Amino acid sequence: MAEYGWGLSAELTKKARRELREIPERRQLAIEAVRGEIVTRPDIEFLRSDNAFILRFLRTRKFDIFESFKLYARYFAYRQENLNLFRKFHASEPSIKEALLDGLPGVLPRCDHFGRRILVLYSANWDNTRYGLAAIYRAVLLTLEKLIDEDASQINGFVIIVDWSQFTFKQSTWLNPKVLKLMIEGLQDCFPARFGAIHFINQPWYIEAVFKMLKPFLKEKNKNKIFMHGINLGILHEHIHKEVLPAELGGVEPPYNNQYWAKQLIGDESFSFGTSISIGQIMELQVGLYSRTRSETFPLDQYSSETKPHEDKRGIHLDEEFFLID
């Protein structure tokens, strides 16, 4: 990534000015203004405050200093309040690794016609006997952390496609509403990314029922970014052109290889979260600062590659229960 926005292409510079109100000559003053607000929140440990990091919050909130700092504060507060979500936060953690290898999520090689990165989730790949919903969420967050390090992703944003083909009613019973609400909170209010749209395809009636239950937790502008296309891929292609989509989504590209994105993350826990510390390390640091009473051995997920369903003697879905502990 170019040092806090310098070195942008002419096209990105123009788009950032037009859509995000980013004026290169005033960029540094805006960054310093956000950084100056840190003293107003002594309750939050701001573990990163370099120029490049603060800039992504300014871009997400179109260079509104007040709104940018609110998002910046929420980002670290959310991690401070949900420590277990970020313990062992790296791609080689067993449950995250298995989710990534199943393509939950995947990232398409090509961007859409607006330059947005495209995340895909093939829901039927979820084997909940090996990992829980929280592992998928952690894999999504880790993916976003990697992608948002790029200027182009900060400016152009993301779109998400969720394919519900062959997702069974039994699998839907593992969609814990409280964890889904945690996901909405984290992505809607606490992460510096521009989400252009979420597209559901081939969704069964029970997924639509789950969505109706969660809809009140969505901001109005975000409700309007969620599209349910059912089996009509033609409508999806009006939003995301066939030229960049894999064959199973009606596109002209070859079928998506679930391991394409996983191989870029697994074994690369050192990708930069700052100048000399990885995402996993900085999240472990935050866990260490605020976690004084919880056991380090409590499982992050109910199932991992070393744990089988019959080994959980209490019959509790620890993946969900762990994150709901006060």
Side-chain angles (χ1 to χ4, degrees):
M1 172 176 168
E3 175 62 18
Y4 48 90
W6 293 345
L8 291 180
S9 68
E11 182 181 355
L12 279 177
T13 299
K14 186 182 297 184
K15 184 173 184 178
R17 181 186 290 267
R18 181 178 68 250
E19 297 184 9
L20 309 181
R21 299 195 290 268
E22 179 174 343
I23 301 173
E25 297 78 13
R26 301 178 185 174
R27 186 186 293 130
Q28 186 62 37
L29 287 176
I31 291 171
E32 291 171 359
V34 171
R35 188 184 293 117
E37 293 296 315
I38 290 177
V39 296
T40 68
R41 293 299 305 271
D43 56 313
I44 297 174
E45 189 74 22
F46 293 89
L47 295 179
R48 183 175 171 185
S49 59
D50 57 280
N51 291 345
F53 190 68
I54 291 176
L55 179 57
R56 64 191 61 179
F57 294 91
L58 283 161
R59 285 173 169 161
T60 304
R61 291 294 183 260
K62 298 184 178 181
F63 276 74
D64 182 309
I65 303 300
F66 177 72
E67 291 298 328
S68 298
F69 179 73
K70 277 207 310 184
L71 179 61
Y72 180 48
R74 284 174 183 158
Y75 175 91
F76 283 113
Y78 181 79
R79 282 146 180 74
Q80 187 172 312
E81 294 161 4
N82 299 283
L83 296 175
N84 296 308
L85 200 58
F86 299 97
R87 182 178 282 118
K88 299 182 181 178
F89 188 60
H90 51 77
S92 293
E93 193 279 323
S95 59
I96 296 178
K97 180 178 180 179
E98 294 201 34
L100 287 168
L101 289 172
D102 283 344
L104 296 167
V107 179
L108 298 187
R110 298 175 61 188
C111 299
D112 74 357
H113 55 290
F114 292 114
R116 300 177 297 193
R117 297 306 300 263
I118 306 170
L119 276 66
V120 292
L121 293 97
Y122 297 100
S123 302
N125 291 352
W126 179 21
D127 180 355
N128 52 43
T129 65
R130 293 187 290 117
Y131 54 88
L133 180 60
I136 297 174
Y137 179 37
R138 280 153 54 81
V140 169
L141 284 175
L142 194 65
T143 292
L144 290 171
E145 290 282 7
K146 174 70 170 181
L147 294 175
I148 204 64
D149 208 36
E150 303 169 355
D151 284 303
S153 292
Q154 295 171 21
I155 295 169
N156 294 325
F158 302 89
V159 290
I160 300 173
I161 302 174
V162 186
D163 184 358
W164 297 99
S165 301
Q166 301 179 47
F167 188 76
T168 67
F169 181 80
K170 183 178 180 180
Q171 284 176 301
S172 74
T173 64
W174 286 69
L175 294 173
N176 187 309
K178 292 184 179 179
V179 175
L180 289 172
K181 183 182 175 184
L182 185 69
M183 294 171 69
I184 290 173
E185 178 189 357
L187 296 176
Q188 177 175 249
D189 299 317
C190 307
F191 194 86
R194 305 180 69 200
F195 294 103
I198 299 177
H199 299 276
F200 286 2
I201 61 171
N202 300 309
Q203 74 279 359
W205 65 267
Y206 38 87
I207 292 302
E208 293 188 7
V210 171
F211 176 72
K212 287 180 181 178
M213 179 178 61
L214 296 171
K215 202 171 182 180
F217 301 108
L218 291 167
K219 293 179 178 177
E220 199 60 37
K221 67 175 183 178
N222 291 329
K223 292 177 185 178
N224 297 328
K225 294 179 180 180
I226 298 177
F227 302 91
M228 295 199 175
H229 304 301
I231 61 173
N232 193 339
L233 293 181
I235 301 179
L236 172 67
H237 300 155
E238 292 176 6
H239 296 268
I240 304 176
H241 297 170
K242 296 167 64 174
E243 288 73 19
V244 301
L245 293 176
E248 66 275 13
L249 299 179
V252 300
E253 290 286 299
Y256 183 71
N257 181 345
N258 287 336
Q259 297 187 9
Y260 165 77
W261 177 247
K263 289 179 177 178
Q264 296 185 54
L265 285 186
I266 296 169
D268 184 25
E269 291 79 40
S270 62
F271 69 84
S272 177
F273 189 86
T275 55
S276 60
I277 188 168
S278 72
I279 288 178
Q281 289 172 322
I282 202 165
M283 292 310 177
E284 286 294 322
L285 175 59
Q286 187 148 26
V287 169
L289 283 170
Y290 294 103
S291 181
R292 302 302 185 205
T293 59
R294 296 181 182 178
S295 170
E296 287 290 328
T297 61
F298 201 101
L300 282 166
D301 239 321
Q302 181 182 7
Y303 307 131
S304 68
S305 55
E306 294 84 20
T307 307
K308 305 303 178 186
H310 66 270
E311 293 175 349
D312 181 15
K313 304 300 183 182
R314 295 177 297 169
I316 297 175
H317 191 190
L318 298 180
D319 172 60
E320 322 299 349
E321 296 292 329
F322 189 40
F323 293 117
L324 301 178
I325 294 175
D326 292 329

